[in-house]
Amino acid sequence: MSATSELETRGLLRWMWRQLTSMRIALILLLTLGLAAIPGSIFPQRSQNPMKVQEFFTNNPQLAVWMDRVKLFDVYSSPWFSAVYLLLFISLIGCVLPRTLQHLKALRSKPPLTPKFLDRMEFYTPVADSKAKSLDIAEAWLKKRKFRVRRDADSISAEKGYLRETGNLLFHLSLILILVAVGVGALYGSKGEAILNVGERFINTPTSYDNLSFGKFQSEGSLVPFSLAIADFQAKYDPATNAPTDYLLKVNLANPVGSKEVTKTIKVNSPLTLGSTKIYLQANGYSPIVTVRDRNGKLIFQGAVPFLPQDGNLTSSGAIKIPDMTPQVGFVSTFLPTADRTASRGAFSSYPEVLDPRLLFSAWKGNLGLDSGVPQSVYRINTSKMVRIGLKALELGQSYDFGTGTITFDGWKSWVNLQIVDDPGKMYALLGALLAILGLISSLFTRQRRIWVKQGDGIELAGLAKNALPGVKQEIEELAKELKG
Amino acid sequence: MSSRTYAYLSNYAVYSAMAVFTVAFIAYSMEMAFSVKNVEGQKKTDFDFARTENSGRLGSLMTLLAFLLLTGGVAFRALSAHRVPWGNMYEFSITGAWALSGGFLFGIIKYRLRWLGVPVTFVSLLTLGTAVTVLYRPSAPLVPALKSTWLAIHVSAAIISGGVFLLANAVAGTYLILDTIESKGPRPAWAAKIPSLEALDQLSYRLVAFVFPLWTFAVIAGAIWAESAWGRYWGWDPKETWAFITWVAYAAYLHARVTIGWRGRRAAWLCLFAGSTFLFNYVYVNIWGTGRHTYSGL
């Protein structure tokens, strides 16, 4: 590389840096960030609702593939969204760091010299027949009001409200802290979910989870080694509106595994905290208990199968899969906690509590397709290789003979969905947020202003309000009154 | 009194407030429409305000009465449900209208804001009208996710911020209309009482600068609550996303004014844009959006 081209490159880089840290570009980036966030609120996002994304793919296959290429289903982790906020933060750092150094310097030095001609400044006020030693009086007056004062032979330059710039810088530095905290949480955290029936025990190892994701620098060994048993779950409903009013979950916690169990309560707004790990109650539903026997009465399956709630009255749908029979059997089912029926709607649930339960299903035989290698939903049955053999609605205790065996509706249990989250960056984000508000308040509500006093033939006063807040005029009037002979 | 009695009282109070707001709206409109140009050569002002002064006063009196009725409406709703009255969109709306009219009354006393009477009473009527027709839900207990002290903190901060953002929007909108009119000639009689363009420009900035920290706080309080209720402090839920967009838009507005020195039309448009993101969040995300801020039955 020749000397001139190197110079050009450096010039170009410097030019780019200056552009990036200019306020105009920062403003454009800020607005772009707002615009870039919009698509994520319009299209379904994998991070929030992968099912909805799947649905979108089914409904608009071609469009979806194209949209997926530009990351419209992962907006907030997409390269283009990241690019905008990273550029914005580089611009912010490039702007705030020099200003911080400048401000630190200003804090240690005296206010700048008094301008030569005060009559050109704002709030210019000449004081006719002023007192003797006016400058001393003015200096005392300003110092009493906590102004930073520079006293020269025939003038005073005073400034107050440094807190404004301090707050401004604190605010912007706090934003950087928040971004770092978000990054720490994403890299060193973990997040998983598990559906558990009442009575079941959960041991905090990766295999216990229904889904679990780790940050880049986090591994399986970092999970807190606790175990918990679902002791009891109570849901209360408002009889007038059928809306839930309270969920109460009791667990027996052993931390670490094997230690003495203690009973803990988890509610929707009060998770269970273990260090930086928190356990949340996210959802709940019903698991009907069924028993399946073959023709000879041999027990094939017995247990509670979690069903997914479909509406506010907890009409729940699910799948009972019996792979250990030949041919295989499956029941595409609906559980109604309080069964009701009208001619137009057919069977439905009229109340979310279990008052008059029914288990409705269509029975299928054939191949459940569990060995095909394609992951299957536990709530659905792929009936493409099966034939339907019957329809039935069972009351509690009733059985149904499906030819090669019987199924009995024995009862029900509640299930809860626990979300277990470890976010070590959280406290820093909170700290950043609180400091940001402090900074914002002091930068927007502090009046920064200068007042000058000059001794010539008489006394002259002037001032400068650095932000638009009022008050300088009154201060100068007061000072003028003080100095008047 | 029983919950049901309180619920009825609340509804009557809200309907009465609407009737009284209508009277206030008509009175304020008359004040504007009939303050006509006076005889030539009058010294102090070109306009005769005396003939519409009583109409304007009636408007303010009626707004005060409507505000008191609405206070009752909100309070009775709270009493009937045994909780803060911010559980669904109907309740946000009546509280929002209450906050807006309360802020306006304060503005009349402190800053002589009576000239904003027409837009403020109109927006209040519109909010209440939508609330009682589209959004009404019977008074009911809260769903578990809303049972938190953060409900009172987060929602009140958001409602107050929203009210002040709307007020700033009204001022910026007035600025744009008057600026267009003034570029063609002198102000018409109905606009004579409205402050100068510079004053409007300053006022909308002051309102935003005053409430921006509160909005920041509302978002942060929401994040703290989300952390305890949903297991994460930020998840790009549509409501969160739009709250963020509103925040970014107002941050851009403040930078444009303070650092770059935008004034006048450009600043007013940016202010309107930022305010519309807030409105969009309230209307679109609550009604048509999906996500965790949409509770069954709005």
Side-chain angles (χ1 to χ4, degrees), chain A residues 80-200:
Chain A
W80 47 271
F81 189 77
S82 312
V84 177
Y85 75 73
L86 286 177
L87 279 175
L88 185 64
F89 270 90
I90 293 170
S91 157
L92 195 154
I93 291 167
C95 185
V96 167
L97 285 187
R99 273 179 80 161
T100 309
L101 296 178
Q102 216 178 335
H103 186 56
L104 286 176
K105 225 189 218 168
L107 282 178
R108 277 180 284 119
S109 52
K110 291 188 164 170
L113 285 170
T114 310
K116 273 220 168 93
F117 302 103
L118 286 188
D119 51 348
R120 287 181 196 164
M121 311 304 292
E122 278 182 282
F123 313 113
Y124 174 70
T125 316
V127 184
D129 40 81
S130 53
K131 288 179 187 161
K133 290 192 173 176
S134 272
L135 280 187
D136 291 340
I137 298 171
E139 187 179 357
W141 190 91
L142 287 162
K143 278 193 168 156
K144 201 177 147 202
R145 277 157 187 77
K146 303 253 165 63
F147 273 80
R148 207 173 275 253
V149 175
R150 175 195 199 106
R151 171 77 190 260
D152 292 317
D154 60 348
S155 72
I156 291 172
S157 166
E159 183 162 2
K160 192 182 173 180
Y162 287 72
L163 197 58
R164 171 172 169 248
E165 179 69 355
T166 310
N168 183 23
L169 294 169
L170 176 66
F171 169 71
H172 287 94
L173 291 170
S174 305
L175 293 185
I176 299 174
L177 177 61
I178 293 175
L179 185 74
V180 171
V182 171
V184 167
L187 293 173
Y188 294 92
S190 68
K191 181 179 176 176
E193 283 180 49
I195 286 186
L196 299 163
N197 286 313
V198 171
E200 283 176 358

Side-chain angles (χ1 to χ4, degrees), chain B residues 101-124:
Chain B
S101 46
F104 171 60
L105 285 168
F106 175 75
I108 294 181
I109 297 162
K110 190 98 195 272
Y111 301 110
R112 310 159 130 256
L113 277 186
R114 201 171 80 191
W115 55 273
L116 265 176
V118 172
V120 167
T121 47
F122 181 71
V123 169
S124 301

Side-chain angles (χ1 to χ4, degrees), chain A residues 142-395:
Chain A
L142 287 162
K143 278 193 168 156
K144 201 177 147 202
R145 277 157 187 77
K146 303 253 165 63
F147 273 80
R148 207 173 275 253
V149 175
R150 175 195 199 106
R151 171 77 190 260
D152 292 317
D154 60 348
S155 72
I156 291 172
S157 166
E159 183 162 2
K160 192 182 173 180
Y162 287 72
L163 197 58
R164 171 172 169 248
E165 179 69 355
T166 310
N168 183 23
L169 294 169
L170 176 66
F171 169 71
H172 287 94
L173 291 170
S174 305
L175 293 185
I176 299 174
L177 177 61
I178 293 175
L179 185 74
V180 171
V182 171
V184 167
L187 293 173
Y188 294 92
S190 68
K191 181 179 176 176
E193 283 180 49
I195 286 186
L196 299 163
N197 286 313
V198 171
E200 283 176 358
R201 181 179 295 278
F202 174 87
I203 295 167
N204 196 20
T205 55
T207 46
S208 308
Y209 285 86
D210 295 326
N211 61 66
L212 174 63
S213 58
F214 285 107
K216 272 214 172 66
F217 300 139
Q218 189 65 306
S219 61
E220 300 182 355
S222 61
L223 291 175
V224 185
F226 68 85
S227 83
L228 58 81
I230 308 297
D232 186 37
F233 175 73
Q234 299 287 338
K236 286 202 186 95
Y237 299 91
D238 177 31
T241 59
N242 296 14
T245 56
D246 197 27
Y247 298 127
L248 179 69
L249 171 65
K250 286 214 162 93
V251 297
N252 296 327
L253 174 80
N255 183 26
V257 181
S259 63
K260 194 169 174 293
E261 283 191 341
V262 269
T263 304
K264 298 271 182 185
T265 303
I266 304 180
K267 297 184 74 163
V268 174
N269 270 303
S270 59
L272 178 58
T273 307
L274 304 167
S276 67
T277 301
K278 285 194 175 185
I279 303 164
Y280 299 88
L281 172 62
Q282 283 294 295
N284 66 85
Y286 290 118
S287 302
I289 304 171
V290 295
T291 308
V292 176
R293 292 172 190 277
D294 68 9
R295 290 209 71 89
N296 309 320
K298 191 181 135 210
L299 185 68
I300 304 292
F301 172 82
Q302 184 166 46
V305 186
F307 278 27
L308 272 190
Q310 303 297 313
D311 59 23
N313 286 329
L314 295 187
T315 299
S316 308
S317 69
I320 302 165
K321 300 180 187 184
I322 313 294
D324 303 333
M325 290 182 94
T326 23
Q328 291 181 327
V329 185
F331 301 90
V332 178
S333 324
T334 302
F335 175 76
L336 306 176
T338 299
D340 213 333
R341 168 177 281 282
T342 58
S344 56
R345 285 179 67 186
F348 63 95
S349 173
S350 58
Y351 197 66
E353 261 176 68
V354 180
L355 301 176
D356 182 18
R358 289 282 190 294
L359 183 66
L360 281 49
F361 54 77
S362 60
W364 299 72
K365 69 174 181 187
N367 186 350
L368 285 166
L370 296 178
D371 309 324
S372 65
V374 184
Q376 266 198 19
S377 163
V378 292
Y379 305 107
R380 285 182 197 169
I381 292 179
N382 179 359
T383 54
S384 60
K385 288 180 185 160
M386 305 187 86
V387 283
R388 198 167 75 178
I389 48 180
L391 279 173
K392 188 67 185 174
L394 293 181
E395 285 178 35

